[in-house]
Amino acid sequence: MGVVNTLISHVGSPGCGGLDSPESCVSRIHSACRPSHGATASPPGEVYERKSPGSDTAHRTTGSEPRYSDDSGRRIAELVADAAHELRTPIAGIRAIVEAILVSPSSPGGAQLNHLHQLVLKDTRRAAQLIEDLLDMARLDSGQFELRWTGFELLPLVEELVDRSRLLNPNIEFRIVSDTPCTVVGDPTRIAQILTNLIDNASRVSPTDDNIILDIRRESDRLSIAVTDKGPGVPVEDRDRIFDRGVQLTGEASRSPGTSGLGLTIARRIARAHGGDLICTVPASGVGAEFLLSLPLGRT
């Protein structure tokens, strides 16, 4: 069984789906996952593939921590560490709420019960998103990440995502600037995933009653989508590092609690799997941050 299938089966198992500790869940993942030689990605524009496994390269020291002799093993260890750390908060929240209901001398009712249900739902959704991020990272690392190629109009997709964001952030103005309609070839679901991450990040850091601009431009054989906000911005020294796995910036530019810290890492790797790229720069105004997604207009 491949690493991703193993992760899926273990995350979806009764132990991980209940109120077990995150350490218990990821220990199952860790014991089942073993790195293989030769995980690789195809050139941009092709589905990622994985080479046939070689020998088991994982070996244990006398201590409790595994030590691996190649990058695939290191990535598995990082994934397990990410899972243990990030799942702790939502699982602890769900457990605390359920225990509070069970030990209450009289069952909460009315508005209080509804409030508790909302809290459980919020933490459940948070845990589900964290798991999806971790699984995407595992697929990317193992070469099992697939893109479903098709031609589609980008502007309607962006408009749909902005309509969603307006409902979630009624105090922020979203503005789309597009110089021409254009068709791109790629996986619309995955491109929507990139843009959703960028829009959500911009919404979190934008002041109330401010605006976020999505600027779509055609440049020769490429298409660029710039998502610009007027938040605190990203320091020059962090504009590339912010795409590294699990990087957290200090101060105002730090990520929000409850997110995996993998969103931008995944977004850049999806962009590059399309033959494009994702970078962070400074807007022409010098205020805030600009994330620039570039995509080829045709498969490369």
Side-chain angles (χ1 to χ4, degrees), residues 12 18 23 83 159 266:
E23 289 83 357
E159 290 173 337
I266 294 168

Side-chain angles (χ1 to χ4, degrees), residues 197-298:
N197 180 270
L198 299 181
I199 295 170
D200 287 351
N201 288 346
S203 300
R204 279 194 290 267
V205 301
S206 290
T208 302
D209 298 326
D210 221 318
N211 60 76
I212 293 171
I213 299 173
L214 289 88
D215 189 355
I216 306 172
R217 295 181 182 177
R218 181 170 182 164
E219 301 170 352
S220 183
D221 62 343
R222 302 185 76 78
L223 182 74
S224 67
I225 309 102
V227 180
T228 305
D229 63 65
K230 293 184 178 179
V234 179
V236 175
E237 64 272 18
D238 291 326
R239 287 179 192 158
D240 192 61
R241 194 174 69 89
I242 197 173
F243 294 100
D244 291 345
R245 179 198 299 259
V247 167
Q248 298 184 46
L249 302 184
T250 58
E252 291 182 291
S254 62
R255 69 177 174 90
S256 299
T259 60
S260 68
L262 298 173
L264 286 175
T265 306
I266 294 168
R268 171 177 270 188
R269 293 182 66 174
I270 294 174
R272 290 179 174 177
H274 279 83
D277 205 356
L278 177 63
I279 63 172
C280 175
T281 183
V282 63
S285 65
V287 178
E290 179 176 282
F291 285 83
L292 183 64
L293 170 65
S294 62
L295 296 168
L297 288 174

Side-chain angles (χ1 to χ4, degrees), residues 10-21 24-25 28:
H10 281 72
V11 170
S13 68
C16 288
L19 294 177
D20 282 359
S21 70
S24 174
C25 294
R28 295 189 182 95

Side-chain angles (χ1 to χ4, degrees), residues 38-65:
T40 185
S42 300
E46 298 297 331
V47 174
Y48 281 25
E49 295 179 348
R50 190 180 182 185
K51 292 181 180 179
S52 298
S55 61
D56 186 348
T57 57
H59 60 90
R60 289 190 173 274
T61 63
T62 54
S64 60
E65 291 299 319

Side-chain angles (χ1 to χ4, degrees), residues 3 7 26-27 29-36 57-60 64-86 134 137-138 141-142 245 262:
V3 172
L7 285 169
V26 297
S27 68
I29 298 172
H30 193 282
S31 63
C33 292
R34 287 294 182 269
S36 60
T57 57
H59 60 90
R60 289 190 173 274
S64 60
E65 291 299 319
R67 188 172 64 191
Y68 301 101
S69 60
D70 63 4
D71 284 346
S72 60
R74 175 182 56 79
R75 288 170 180 154
I76 290 173
E78 289 174 348
L79 180 65
V80 172
D82 289 340
H85 176 74
E86 299 296 346
L134 291 165
M137 202 73 242
D141 283 346
S142 65
R245 179 198 299 259
L262 298 173

Side-chain angles (χ1 to χ4, degrees), residues 26-229:
V26 297
S27 68
R28 295 189 182 95
I29 298 172
H30 193 282
S31 63
C33 292
R34 287 294 182 269
S36 60
H37 285 298
T40 185
S42 300
E46 298 297 331
V47 174
Y48 281 25
E49 295 179 348
R50 190 180 182 185
K51 292 181 180 179
S52 298
S55 61
D56 186 348
T57 57
H59 60 90
R60 289 190 173 274
T61 63
T62 54
S64 60
E65 291 299 319
R67 188 172 64 191
Y68 301 101
S69 60
D70 63 4
D71 284 346
S72 60
R74 175 182 56 79
R75 288 170 180 154
I76 290 173
E78 289 174 348
L79 180 65
V80 172
D82 289 340
H85 176 74
E86 299 296 346
L87 289 172
R88 181 179 292 112
T89 299
I91 289 177
I94 294 169
R95 174 185 289 165
I97 295 167
V98 172
E99 287 178 348
I101 294 174
L102 291 176
V103 303
S104 177
S106 59
S107 298
Q112 183 184 5
L113 183 60
N114 182 65
H115 177 63
L116 292 175
H117 286 164
Q118 292 295 326
L119 291 176
V120 170
L121 182 60
K122 181 179 179 180
D123 275 335
T124 302
R125 287 173 174 167
R126 180 186 299 175
Q129 185 58 58
L130 291 171
I131 291 169
E132 284 301 314
D133 286 349
L134 291 165
L135 290 173
D136 276 345
M137 202 73 242
R139 293 182 183 107
L140 287 161
D141 283 346
S142 65
Q144 296 183 30
F145 189 85
E146 295 185 357
L147 297 175
R148 302 183 183 278
W149 296 91
T150 187
F152 65 97
E153 289 289 333
L154 183 66
L155 184 57
L157 174 63
V158 173
E159 290 173 337
E160 179 182 328
L161 297 176
V162 166
D163 286 343
R164 164 193 171 274
S165 296
R166 284 177 176 141
L167 291 173
L168 296 174
N169 306 278
N171 295 323
I172 297 177
E173 178 185 351
F174 294 87
R175 188 154 56 93
I176 300 173
V177 179
S178 178
D179 57 4
T180 180
C182 53
T183 300
V184 295
V185 178
D187 187 328
T189 299
R190 293 302 186 176
I191 291 175
Q193 180 179 347
I194 298 173
L195 293 173
T196 298
N197 180 270
L198 299 181
I199 295 170
D200 287 351
N201 288 346
S203 300
R204 279 194 290 267
V205 301
S206 290
T208 302
D209 298 326
D210 221 318
N211 60 76
I212 293 171
I213 299 173
L214 289 88
D215 189 355
I216 306 172
R217 295 181 182 177
R218 181 170 182 164
E219 301 170 352
S220 183
D221 62 343
R222 302 185 76 78
L223 182 74
S224 67
I225 309 102
V227 180
T228 305
D229 63 65

